[in-house]
Amino acid sequence: QVQLVESGGGLVQAGGSLRLSCAASGRALNRYAMGWFRQAPGKEREFVAAISWSGARYYTDSMKGRFTISRDNAKNTVYLQMNSLKPEDTAVYYCASSFASGGYTQHTVYDYWGQGTQVTVSS
């Protein structure tokens, strides 16, 4: 059974940084694409970043340059480094796993999801 567990969320001031982790069990991440999504209260879930099995990275334009996705295959863990955080980055952040070969910005291509971790950025 595949399980994804996020950690690293919390409360941070605007301009600060956080690193989210997503630890996987039951699936070798180096064979799958991994994505990060977020959902703020009253809003739809939105794509943040993804990394393909080959290491290609994808970002939403508004987060490019501030967020970095990476993967440690030995630890079977994916990370999201978030810098220069803004209050509008406040949301629950979810990691997800996909066997698809593309379309990583769409939540429908992901088959397993974590429970989410709360990120709150104060102004």
Side-chain angles (χ1 to χ4, degrees), residues 1-7 21-34 36 71-79 95-98 112-115:
Q1 184 173 351
V2 177
Q3 283 192 322
L4 303 176
V5 180
E6 302 98 333
S7 61
S21 300
C22 174
S25 60
R27 172 172 281 188
L29 294 188
N30 61 345
R31 298 183 179 183
Y32 298 87
M34 295 297 296
W36 285 97
R71 182 174 63 207
D72 186 332
N73 292 334
K75 295 183 177 180
N76 220 30
T77 299
V78 173
Y79 303 98
C95 71
S97 175
S98 172
Y112 288 99
W113 292 80
Q115 82 290 346

Side-chain angles (χ1 to χ4, degrees), residues 37-48 87-94 117-119:
F37 287 73
R38 70 185 186 185
Q39 189 166 19
K43 295 188 177 181
E44 293 187 352
R45 189 168 299 192
E46 67 171 333
F47 172 75
V48 174
E88 51 264 42
D89 294 318
T90 295
V92 177
Y93 284 71
Y94 299 89
T117 186
Q118 176 70 47
V119 171

Side-chain angles (χ1 to χ4, degrees), residues 19 36 51 57 59 68-72 77-81:
R19 188 177 80 157
W36 285 97
I51 184 167
R57 293 169 170 82
Y59 298 96
T68 303
I69 189 171
S70 62
R71 182 174 63 207
D72 186 332
T77 299
V78 173
Y79 303 98
L80 184 69
Q81 178 67 43

